[in-house]
mmCIF file of all heavy atoms in Angstrom:
data_model
loop_
_atom_site.group_PDB
_atom_site.id
_atom_site.type_symbol
_atom_site.label_atom_id
_atom_site.label_comp_id
_atom_site.label_asym_id
_atom_site.label_seq_id
_atom_site.Cartn_x
_atom_site.Cartn_y
_atom_site.Cartn_z
ATOM 1 N N ARG A 1 0.823 -1.207 0.000
ATOM 2 C CA ARG A 1 0.000 0.000 0.000
ATOM 3 C C ARG A 1 0.855 1.254 0.000
ATOM 4 O O ARG A 1 0.530 2.239 -0.677
ATOM 5 C CB ARG A 1 -0.943 -0.016 1.203
ATOM 6 C CG ARG A 1 -2.038 -1.057 1.072
ATOM 7 C CD ARG A 1 -2.850 -1.223 2.354
ATOM 8 N NE ARG A 1 -3.903 -2.220 2.155
ATOM 9 C CZ ARG A 1 -4.776 -2.591 3.084
ATOM 10 N NH1 ARG A 1 -4.723 -2.021 4.294
ATOM 11 N NH2 ARG A 1 -5.700 -3.487 2.810
ATOM 12 N N LEU A 2 1.955 1.227 0.741
ATOM 13 C CA LEU A 2 2.862 2.369 0.752
ATOM 14 C C LEU A 2 3.494 2.583 -0.626
ATOM 15 O O LEU A 2 3.553 3.712 -1.127
ATOM 16 C CB LEU A 2 3.959 2.164 1.797
ATOM 17 C CG LEU A 2 3.553 2.318 3.259
ATOM 18 C CD1 LEU A 2 4.680 1.848 4.176
ATOM 19 C CD2 LEU A 2 3.191 3.771 3.572
ATOM 20 N N GLN A 3 3.941 1.500 -1.228
ATOM 21 C CA GLN A 3 4.581 1.606 -2.538
ATOM 22 C C GLN A 3 3.601 2.128 -3.580
ATOM 23 O O GLN A 3 3.909 3.058 -4.329
ATOM 24 C CB GLN A 3 5.122 0.249 -2.971
ATOM 25 C CG GLN A 3 5.851 0.272 -4.317
ATOM 26 C CD GLN A 3 6.270 -1.115 -4.765
ATOM 27 O OE1 GLN A 3 5.451 -2.039 -4.799
ATOM 28 N NE2 GLN A 3 7.541 -1.265 -5.095
ATOM 29 N N ARG A 4 2.412 1.539 -3.608
ATOM 30 C CA ARG A 4 1.434 1.947 -4.613
ATOM 31 C C ARG A 4 0.895 3.346 -4.323
ATOM 32 O O ARG A 4 0.635 4.124 -5.250
ATOM 33 C CB ARG A 4 0.300 0.931 -4.664
ATOM 34 C CG ARG A 4 0.764 -0.438 -5.125
ATOM 35 C CD ARG A 4 -0.364 -1.435 -5.205
ATOM 36 N NE ARG A 4 0.137 -2.745 -5.581
ATOM 37 C CZ ARG A 4 -0.630 -3.780 -5.874
ATOM 38 N NH1 ARG A 4 -1.948 -3.666 -5.817
ATOM 39 N NH2 ARG A 4 -0.102 -4.944 -6.205
ATOM 40 N N GLY A 5 0.724 3.658 -3.031
ATOM 41 C CA GLY A 5 0.266 4.994 -2.674
ATOM 42 C C GLY A 5 1.266 6.056 -3.079
ATOM 43 O O GLY A 5 0.905 7.109 -3.609
ATOM 44 N N ARG A 6 2.549 5.799 -2.841
ATOM 45 C CA ARG A 6 3.591 6.758 -3.218
ATOM 46 C C ARG A 6 3.628 6.947 -4.731
ATOM 47 O O ARG A 6 3.828 8.058 -5.232
ATOM 48 C CB ARG A 6 4.945 6.284 -2.712
ATOM 49 C CG ARG A 6 5.134 6.438 -1.218
ATOM 50 C CD ARG A 6 6.307 5.621 -0.774
ATOM 51 N NE ARG A 6 6.686 5.894 0.600
ATOM 52 C CZ ARG A 6 7.516 5.123 1.288
ATOM 53 N NH1 ARG A 6 8.038 4.052 0.724
ATOM 54 N NH2 ARG A 6 7.820 5.421 2.541
ATOM 55 N N GLU A 7 3.470 5.833 -5.468
ATOM 56 C CA GLU A 7 3.489 5.935 -6.928
ATOM 57 C C GLU A 7 2.299 6.754 -7.427
ATOM 58 O O GLU A 7 2.441 7.591 -8.326
ATOM 59 C CB GLU A 7 3.469 4.527 -7.542
ATOM 60 C CG GLU A 7 3.451 4.497 -9.062
ATOM 61 C CD GLU A 7 4.676 5.150 -9.691
ATOM 62 O OE1 GLU A 7 5.722 5.240 -9.022
ATOM 63 O OE2 GLU A 7 4.574 5.575 -10.864
ATOM 64 N N ARG A 8 1.129 6.532 -6.848
ATOM 65 C CA ARG A 8 -0.044 7.330 -7.219
ATOM 66 C C ARG A 8 0.174 8.801 -6.873
ATOM 67 O O ARG A 8 -0.215 9.692 -7.633
ATOM 68 C CB ARG A 8 -1.286 6.805 -6.501
ATOM 69 C CG ARG A 8 -1.900 5.541 -7.109
ATOM 70 C CD ARG A 8 -3.041 5.060 -6.218
ATOM 71 N NE ARG A 8 -3.688 3.872 -6.749
ATOM 72 C CZ ARG A 8 -4.844 3.869 -7.400
ATOM 73 N NH1 ARG A 8 -5.465 5.006 -7.620
ATOM 74 N NH2 ARG A 8 -5.375 2.751 -7.836
ATOM 75 N N LEU A 9 0.743 9.047 -5.694
ATOM 76 C CA LEU A 9 1.029 10.426 -5.296
ATOM 77 C C LEU A 9 1.970 11.092 -6.295
ATOM 78 O O LEU A 9 1.762 12.243 -6.689
ATOM 79 C CB LEU A 9 1.657 10.456 -3.902
ATOM 80 C CG LEU A 9 0.731 10.304 -2.699
ATOM 81 C CD1 LEU A 9 1.562 10.229 -1.424
ATOM 82 C CD2 LEU A 9 -0.265 11.450 -2.616
ATOM 83 N N ARG A 10 3.011 10.356 -6.692
ATOM 84 C CA ARG A 10 3.983 10.919 -7.628
ATOM 85 C C ARG A 10 3.313 11.261 -8.952
ATOM 86 O O ARG A 10 3.503 12.370 -9.490
ATOM 87 C CB ARG A 10 5.123 9.925 -7.862
ATOM 88 C CG ARG A 10 6.239 10.457 -8.763
ATOM 89 C CD ARG A 10 7.261 9.380 -9.083
ATOM 90 N NE ARG A 10 6.671 8.284 -9.840
ATOM 91 C CZ ARG A 10 6.425 8.338 -11.153
ATOM 92 N NH1 ARG A 10 6.705 9.436 -11.833
ATOM 93 N NH2 ARG A 10 5.905 7.301 -11.768
ATOM 94 N N ARG A 11 2.497 10.330 -9.483
ATOM 95 C CA ARG A 11 1.829 10.591 -10.761
ATOM 96 C C ARG A 11 0.850 11.747 -10.644
ATOM 97 O O ARG A 11 0.762 12.609 -11.532
ATOM 98 C CB ARG A 11 1.108 9.324 -11.247
ATOM 99 C CG ARG A 11 2.038 8.191 -11.662
ATOM 100 C CD ARG A 11 1.309 7.182 -12.531
ATOM 101 N NE ARG A 11 0.150 6.627 -11.841
ATOM 102 C CZ ARG A 11 0.165 5.493 -11.156
ATOM 103 N NH1 ARG A 11 1.290 4.801 -11.048
ATOM 104 N NH2 ARG A 11 -0.929 5.039 -10.576
ATOM 105 N N SER A 12 0.085 11.756 -9.559
ATOM 106 C CA SER A 12 -0.885 12.834 -9.357
ATOM 107 C C SER A 12 -0.184 14.178 -9.255
ATOM 108 O O SER A 12 -0.606 15.180 -9.853
ATOM 109 C CB SER A 12 -1.712 12.562 -8.097
ATOM 110 O OG SER A 12 -2.598 13.625 -7.820
ATOM 111 N N TYR A 13 0.902 14.201 -8.491
ATOM 112 C CA TYR A 13 1.635 15.449 -8.293
ATOM 113 C C TYR A 13 2.271 15.912 -9.603
ATOM 114 O O TYR A 13 2.269 17.105 -9.917
ATOM 115 C CB TYR A 13 2.694 15.253 -7.219
ATOM 116 C CG TYR A 13 3.220 16.551 -6.666
ATOM 117 C CD1 TYR A 13 2.537 17.224 -5.658
ATOM 118 C CD2 TYR A 13 4.392 17.109 -7.158
ATOM 119 C CE1 TYR A 13 3.020 18.425 -5.152
ATOM 120 C CE2 TYR A 13 4.879 18.308 -6.663
ATOM 121 C CZ TYR A 13 4.187 18.954 -5.658
ATOM 122 O OH TYR A 13 4.658 20.149 -5.176
ATOM 123 N N GLU A 14 2.805 14.964 -10.385
ATOM 124 C CA GLU A 14 3.425 15.331 -11.657
ATOM 125 C C GLU A 14 2.396 15.926 -12.613
ATOM 126 O O GLU A 14 2.687 16.869 -13.356
ATOM 127 C CB GLU A 14 4.095 14.112 -12.293
ATOM 128 C CG GLU A 14 5.392 13.719 -11.610
ATOM 129 C CD GLU A 14 5.991 12.452 -12.178
ATOM 130 O OE1 GLU A 14 5.308 11.775 -12.991
ATOM 131 O OE2 GLU A 14 7.140 12.141 -11.829
ATOM 132 N N ARG A 15 1.156 15.384 -12.600
ATOM 133 C CA ARG A 15 0.106 15.945 -13.453
ATOM 134 C C ARG A 15 -0.209 17.380 -13.044
ATOM 135 O O ARG A 15 -0.391 18.257 -13.891
ATOM 136 C CB ARG A 15 -1.159 15.082 -13.385
ATOM 137 C CG ARG A 15 -1.051 13.776 -14.148
ATOM 138 C CD ARG A 15 -2.418 13.142 -14.338
ATOM 139 N NE ARG A 15 -3.029 12.772 -13.069
ATOM 140 C CZ ARG A 15 -2.891 11.596 -12.480
ATOM 141 N NH1 ARG A 15 -2.133 10.666 -13.057
ATOM 142 N NH2 ARG A 15 -3.489 11.330 -11.339
ATOM 143 N N MET A 16 -0.284 17.604 -11.720
ATOM 144 C CA MET A 16 -0.561 18.960 -11.250
ATOM 145 C C MET A 16 0.582 19.904 -11.601
ATOM 146 O O MET A 16 0.367 21.046 -11.999
ATOM 147 C CB MET A 16 -0.813 18.950 -9.741
ATOM 148 C CG MET A 16 -2.171 18.387 -9.361
ATOM 149 S SD MET A 16 -2.491 18.544 -7.590
ATOM 150 C CE MET A 16 -1.521 17.186 -6.944
ATOM 151 N N GLU A 17 1.821 19.419 -11.438
ATOM 152 C CA GLU A 17 2.975 20.246 -11.750
ATOM 153 C C GLU A 17 3.031 20.562 -13.239
ATOM 154 O O GLU A 17 3.370 21.678 -13.638
ATOM 155 C CB GLU A 17 4.263 19.527 -11.320
ATOM 156 C CG GLU A 17 4.484 19.516 -9.822
ATOM 157 C CD GLU A 17 4.763 20.909 -9.295
ATOM 158 O OE1 GLU A 17 5.880 21.411 -9.484
ATOM 159 O OE2 GLU A 17 3.844 21.504 -8.703
ATOM 160 N N HIS A 18 2.674 19.569 -14.063
ATOM 161 C CA HIS A 18 2.697 19.777 -15.506
ATOM 162 C C HIS A 18 1.733 20.886 -15.900
ATOM 163 O O HIS A 18 1.998 21.659 -16.822
ATOM 164 C CB HIS A 18 2.339 18.485 -16.234
ATOM 165 C CG HIS A 18 2.338 18.618 -17.728
ATOM 166 N ND1 HIS A 18 3.505 18.745 -18.454
ATOM 167 C CD2 HIS A 18 1.312 18.664 -18.622
ATOM 168 C CE1 HIS A 18 3.194 18.857 -19.740
ATOM 169 N NE2 HIS A 18 1.886 18.814 -19.871
ATOM 170 N N GLY A 19 0.619 20.971 -15.194
ATOM 171 C CA GLY A 19 -0.384 21.974 -15.510
ATOM 172 C C GLY A 19 -0.009 23.377 -15.083
ATOM 173 O O GLY A 19 -0.686 24.335 -15.450
ATOM 174 N N ARG A 20 1.055 23.502 -14.285
ATOM 175 C CA ARG A 20 1.432 24.830 -13.801
ATOM 176 C C ARG A 20 2.882 25.186 -14.134
ATOM 177 O O ARG A 20 3.422 26.148 -13.622
ATOM 178 C CB ARG A 20 1.222 24.923 -12.287
ATOM 179 C CG ARG A 20 2.057 23.933 -11.485
ATOM 180 C CD ARG A 20 1.713 23.967 -10.005
ATOM 181 N NE ARG A 20 2.143 25.178 -9.358
ATOM 182 C CZ ARG A 20 3.358 25.382 -8.866
ATOM 183 N NH1 ARG A 20 4.296 24.446 -8.971
ATOM 184 N NH2 ARG A 20 3.660 26.515 -8.270
ATOM 185 N N THR A 21 3.523 24.415 -15.045
ATOM 186 C CA THR A 21 4.938 24.638 -15.338
ATOM 187 C C THR A 21 5.202 26.010 -15.936
ATOM 188 O O THR A 21 6.300 26.560 -15.793
ATOM 189 C CB THR A 21 5.467 23.567 -16.303
ATOM 190 O OG1 THR A 21 4.556 23.465 -17.417
ATOM 191 C CG2 THR A 21 5.593 22.229 -15.613
ATOM 192 N N ALA A 22 4.212 26.558 -16.619
ATOM 193 C CA ALA A 22 4.420 27.861 -17.230
ATOM 194 C C ALA A 22 4.568 28.966 -16.190
ATOM 195 O O ALA A 22 5.117 30.028 -16.479
ATOM 196 C CB ALA A 22 3.264 28.189 -18.166
ATOM 197 N N HIS A 23 4.058 28.703 -14.958
ATOM 198 C CA HIS A 23 4.084 29.734 -13.920
ATOM 199 C C HIS A 23 4.938 29.348 -12.713
ATOM 200 O O HIS A 23 5.198 30.189 -11.863
ATOM 201 C CB HIS A 23 2.664 30.014 -13.435
ATOM 202 C CG HIS A 23 1.728 30.358 -14.546
ATOM 203 N ND1 HIS A 23 1.754 31.568 -15.198
ATOM 204 C CD2 HIS A 23 0.755 29.622 -15.140
ATOM 205 C CE1 HIS A 23 0.820 31.579 -16.145
ATOM 206 N NE2 HIS A 23 0.214 30.422 -16.128
ATOM 207 N N ALA A 24 5.356 28.086 -12.631
ATOM 208 C CA ALA A 24 6.067 27.624 -11.438
ATOM 209 C C ALA A 24 7.567 27.759 -11.617
ATOM 210 O O ALA A 24 8.102 27.631 -12.716
ATOM 211 C CB ALA A 24 5.712 26.163 -11.145
ATOM 212 N N ALA A 25 8.252 27.982 -10.499
ATOM 213 C CA ALA A 25 9.710 28.015 -10.516
ATOM 214 C C ALA A 25 10.233 26.602 -10.619
ATOM 215 O O ALA A 25 9.674 25.682 -10.044
ATOM 216 C CB ALA A 25 10.228 28.685 -9.249
ATOM 217 N N PRO A 26 11.324 26.344 -11.363
ATOM 218 C CA PRO A 26 11.871 24.993 -11.507
ATOM 219 C C PRO A 26 12.532 24.524 -10.227
ATOM 220 O O PRO A 26 12.867 25.310 -9.353
ATOM 221 C CB PRO A 26 12.914 25.159 -12.628
ATOM 222 C CG PRO A 26 13.326 26.599 -12.541
ATOM 223 C CD PRO A 26 12.093 27.353 -12.126
ATOM 224 N N GLY A 27 12.682 23.191 -10.147
ATOM 225 C CA GLY A 27 13.486 22.625 -9.074
ATOM 226 C C GLY A 27 12.714 21.938 -7.983
ATOM 227 O O GLY A 27 13.305 21.341 -7.101
ATOM 228 N N HIS A 28 11.343 22.021 -8.044
ATOM 229 C CA HIS A 28 10.576 21.325 -7.004
ATOM 230 C C HIS A 28 10.166 19.969 -7.524
ATOM 231 O O HIS A 28 9.425 19.872 -8.497
ATOM 232 C CB HIS A 28 9.345 22.147 -6.630
ATOM 233 C CG HIS A 28 8.580 21.551 -5.494
ATOM 234 N ND1 HIS A 28 9.111 21.404 -4.234
ATOM 235 C CD2 HIS A 28 7.334 21.033 -5.445
ATOM 236 C CE1 HIS A 28 8.233 20.833 -3.442
ATOM 237 N NE2 HIS A 28 7.139 20.598 -4.155
ATOM 238 N N ALA A 29 10.643 18.910 -6.926
ATOM 239 C CA ALA A 29 10.509 17.573 -7.495
ATOM 240 C C ALA A 29 9.219 16.875 -7.131
ATOM 241 O O ALA A 29 8.777 15.998 -7.845
ATOM 242 C CB ALA A 29 11.687 16.704 -7.070
ATOM 243 N N GLY A 30 8.583 17.202 -6.027
ATOM 244 C CA GLY A 30 7.396 16.466 -5.654
ATOM 245 C C GLY A 30 6.917 16.837 -4.286
ATOM 246 O O GLY A 30 7.491 17.724 -3.636
ATOM 247 N N PRO A 31 5.850 16.195 -3.798
ATOM 248 C CA PRO A 31 5.279 16.542 -2.512
ATOM 249 C C PRO A 31 6.177 16.154 -1.364
ATOM 250 O O PRO A 31 7.047 15.297 -1.499
ATOM 251 C CB PRO A 31 3.962 15.728 -2.496
ATOM 252 C CG PRO A 31 4.228 14.585 -3.411
ATOM 253 C CD PRO A 31 5.151 15.094 -4.460
ATOM 254 N N ALA A 32 5.937 16.763 -0.218
ATOM 255 C CA ALA A 32 6.777 16.520 0.964
ATOM 256 C C ALA A 32 6.340 15.258 1.677
ATOM 257 O O ALA A 32 6.019 15.251 2.850
ATOM 258 C CB ALA A 32 6.704 17.722 1.897
ATOM 259 N N LEU A 33 6.275 14.152 0.946
ATOM 260 C CA LEU A 33 5.934 12.857 1.508
ATOM 261 C C LEU A 33 6.850 11.828 0.865
ATOM 262 O O LEU A 33 7.402 12.049 -0.211
ATOM 263 C CB LEU A 33 4.473 12.483 1.207
ATOM 264 C CG LEU A 33 3.397 13.276 1.943
ATOM 265 C CD1 LEU A 33 2.029 12.911 1.393
ATOM 266 C CD2 LEU A 33 3.451 13.025 3.432
ATOM 267 N N GLY A 34 6.983 10.671 1.506
ATOM 268 C CA GLY A 34 7.757 9.599 0.913
ATOM 269 C C GLY A 34 9.216 9.591 1.296
ATOM 270 O O GLY A 34 10.020 8.961 0.629
ATOM 271 N N SER A 35 9.578 10.285 2.373
ATOM 272 C CA SER A 35 10.984 10.350 2.761
ATOM 273 C C SER A 35 11.429 9.127 3.547
ATOM 274 O O SER A 35 12.599 8.813 3.577
ATOM 275 C CB SER A 35 11.229 11.610 3.589
ATOM 276 O OG SER A 35 10.394 11.633 4.735
ATOM 277 N N ARG A 36 10.491 8.458 4.210
ATOM 278 C CA ARG A 36 10.842 7.254 4.966
ATOM 279 C C ARG A 36 10.727 6.036 4.066
ATOM 280 O O ARG A 36 9.948 6.006 3.131
ATOM 281 C CB ARG A 36 9.912 7.078 6.169
ATOM 282 C CG ARG A 36 10.026 8.151 7.214
ATOM 283 C CD ARG A 36 9.047 7.877 8.338
ATOM 284 N NE ARG A 36 9.405 6.676 9.079
ATOM 285 C CZ ARG A 36 8.516 5.870 9.670
ATOM 286 N NH1 ARG A 36 7.228 6.114 9.567
ATOM 287 N NH2 ARG A 36 8.926 4.821 10.342
ATOM 288 N N ALA A 37 11.505 5.010 4.380
ATOM 289 C CA ALA A 37 11.470 3.801 3.577
ATOM 290 C C ALA A 37 11.290 2.600 4.493
ATOM 291 O O ALA A 37 11.990 2.464 5.491
ATOM 292 C CB ALA A 37 12.759 3.655 2.780
ATOM 293 N N PRO A 38 10.358 1.673 4.155
ATOM 294 C CA PRO A 38 10.245 0.422 4.904
ATOM 295 C C PRO A 38 11.538 -0.362 4.817
ATOM 296 O O PRO A 38 12.328 -0.183 3.877
ATOM 297 C CB PRO A 38 9.082 -0.308 4.209
ATOM 298 C CG PRO A 38 8.330 0.766 3.492
ATOM 299 C CD PRO A 38 9.357 1.792 3.104
ATOM 300 N N ALA A 39 11.753 -1.241 5.744
ATOM 301 C CA ALA A 39 13.011 -1.985 5.813
ATOM 302 C C ALA A 39 13.212 -2.850 4.582
ATOM 303 O O ALA A 39 14.328 -3.007 4.097
ATOM 304 C CB ALA A 39 13.036 -2.851 7.066
ATOM 305 N N ASP A 40 12.110 -3.424 4.074
ATOM 306 C CA ASP A 40 12.213 -4.313 2.920
ATOM 307 C C ASP A 40 11.350 -3.775 1.800
ATOM 308 O O ASP A 40 10.488 -2.926 1.983
ATOM 309 C CB ASP A 40 11.737 -5.731 3.288
ATOM 310 C CG ASP A 40 12.549 -6.304 4.425
ATOM 311 O OD1 ASP A 40 13.788 -6.271 4.330
ATOM 312 O OD2 ASP A 40 11.930 -6.777 5.384
ATOM 313 N N SER A 41 11.591 -4.308 0.590
ATOM 314 C CA SER A 41 10.774 -3.915 -0.562
ATOM 315 C C SER A 41 9.356 -4.369 -0.370
ATOM 316 O O SER A 41 9.118 -5.510 0.063
ATOM 317 C CB SER A 41 11.367 -4.554 -1.806
ATOM 318 O OG SER A 41 10.543 -4.280 -2.946
ATOM 319 N N PRO A 42 8.350 -3.520 -0.662
ATOM 320 C CA PRO A 42 6.971 -3.902 -0.452
ATOM 321 C C PRO A 42 6.586 -5.074 -1.323
ATOM 322 O O PRO A 42 7.112 -5.305 -2.386
ATOM 323 C CB PRO A 42 6.173 -2.628 -0.858
ATOM 324 C CG PRO A 42 7.175 -1.528 -0.753
ATOM 325 C CD PRO A 42 8.479 -2.135 -1.100
ATOM 326 N N GLY A 43 5.553 -5.781 -0.845
ATOM 327 C CA GLY A 43 5.004 -6.884 -1.615
ATOM 328 C C GLY A 43 3.640 -7.221 -1.085
ATOM 329 O O GLY A 43 3.209 -6.726 -0.085
ATOM 330 N N GLY A 44 2.920 -8.057 -1.784
ATOM 331 C CA GLY A 44 1.600 -8.465 -1.324
ATOM 332 C C GLY A 44 0.521 -7.622 -1.949
ATOM 333 O O GLY A 44 0.748 -6.711 -2.711
ATOM 334 N N ALA A 45 -0.732 -7.910 -1.567
ATOM 335 C CA ALA A 45 -1.897 -7.232 -2.144
ATOM 336 C C ALA A 45 -2.149 -5.938 -1.445
ATOM 337 O O ALA A 45 -1.848 -5.759 -0.294
ATOM 338 C CB ALA A 45 -3.114 -8.142 -2.054
#
């Protein structure tokens, strides 16, 4: 859920950023989430 949620967040945020690139300053990569990492690679349903 964390892996898929982060991926959805990234795609959603990129779509929003794409819509405002003409007015936004460069260099902001994404939302202020996703800095922590689980000990192992996610898996399961």
Side-chain angles (χ1 to χ4, degrees):
R1 290 171 179 180
L2 286 170
Q3 182 185 52
R4 296 181 183 188
R6 286 165 170 167
E7 179 61 23
R8 282 175 179 259
L9 281 175
R10 184 186 63 79
R11 292 198 302 265
S12 176
Y13 197 83
E14 286 176 351
R15 285 194 296 269
M16 285 186 282
E17 286 292 284
H18 180 72
R20 61 186 290 275
T21 49
H23 306 286
H28 185 63
L33 289 172
S35 58
R36 295 179 67 211
D40 301 309
S41 176

